[in-house]
Amino acid sequence: MAVFFTSDTHFGHAGAISRFRRPFASVADMDEAMVASWNAAVGPDDTVWHLGDFALHRKPDAMVVLLERLHGTKHLITGNNDGPATLALPGWTSVQPYAELLLDERRLVLCHYAFRTWNGMYKGALNLHGHSHGQLKGMPRQFDVGVDVWDFRPVTIEQILSSRQRAKTPDPSKRTPGPPVRREP
């Protein structure tokens, strides 16, 4: 059983396609692609923490069906676009604006919004967030788990940390002559 994180799916939101430059021809295409990507990554016995903005412009009965189609035990950290109908969906195991988890001895602070500081920040705790759709420069130990950053699928902590390590390791084939480039952590 694995634990996954995601955010900002914006199921049903036509404006998300143009605003966030999503590569889909229609809302139906976007929604189906995200369901397929979710279910390809997440198994029925896995856990998913959705960090807000689940769906927009969807009727409650359509959201119920959609949430039932998604694999895993699902928790919602509320986002600015999650209305009362989204919060009341019977498919959520929990609904809250903020959570702190201990996952494999790693402290995680979960919120829809990125923090400047967070509990345990100087003791290695990670801040996982959404809301910014990959447009906010992160701080050390802070990660945007939104679908616009992660190929429209939920991700594990291992995947998140591995991507940060790859970003820090320069590709020798792309190195140009000259002084070393200073990289921010």
Side-chain angles (χ1 to χ4, degrees):
M1 295 187 300
V3 178
F4 290 83
F5 303 90
T6 194
S7 181
D8 298 287
T9 45
H10 287 252
F11 285 110
H13 184 200
I17 295 171
S18 61
R19 183 170 181 195
F20 308 123
R21 296 187 178 122
R22 292 184 174 182
F24 304 106
S26 68
V27 170
D29 289 346
M30 176 179 74
D31 289 359
E32 286 307 309
M34 288 193 297
V35 168
S37 293
W38 179 304
N39 290 339
V42 178
D45 295 328
D46 293 334
T47 298
V48 180
W49 286 86
H50 192 295
L51 275 55
D53 289 2
F54 175 69
L56 281 84
H57 312 301
R58 281 272 182 113
K59 293 186 178 182
D61 58 338
M63 286 193 292
V64 168
V65 171
L66 174 64
L67 196 55
E68 287 175 351
R69 291 181 60 204
L70 299 170
H71 290 172
T73 300
K74 296 163 286 284
H75 300 268
L76 178 65
I77 301 294
T78 55
N80 57 301
N81 289 303
D82 294 317
T86 300
L87 305 182
L89 293 173
W92 299 121
T93 299
S94 70
V95 175
Q96 58 218 332
Y98 173 92
E100 293 186 20
L101 304 178
L102 187 61
L103 181 62
D104 298 327
E105 299 184 31
R106 185 175 305 276
R107 288 181 61 192
L108 305 175
V109 174
L110 312 178
C111 188
H112 181 62
Y113 306 102
F115 293 133
R116 297 267 301 164
T117 65
W118 56 90
N119 188 26
M121 176 180 183
Y122 300 111
K123 295 180 180 178
L126 305 179
N127 172 220
L128 305 185
H129 68 89
H131 188 66
S132 61
H133 297 267
Q135 298 172 0
L136 180 67
K137 183 179 179 193
M139 296 172 55
R141 293 182 305 282
Q142 182 179 65
F143 301 92
D144 183 344
V145 298
V147 295
D148 297 291
V149 177
W150 294 100
D151 201 25
F152 306 99
R153 63 182 167 73
V155 291
T156 64
I157 278 295
E158 293 78 17
Q159 291 168 319
I160 293 166
L161 295 175
S162 173
S163 77
R164 178 66 59 95
Q165 289 297 40
R166 280 194 304 272
K168 283 183 176 180
T169 306
D171 181 347
S173 68
K174 296 180 181 172
R175 189 171 291 154
T176 56
V181 175
R182 183 170 183 261
R183 298 184 191 277
E184 300 211 352

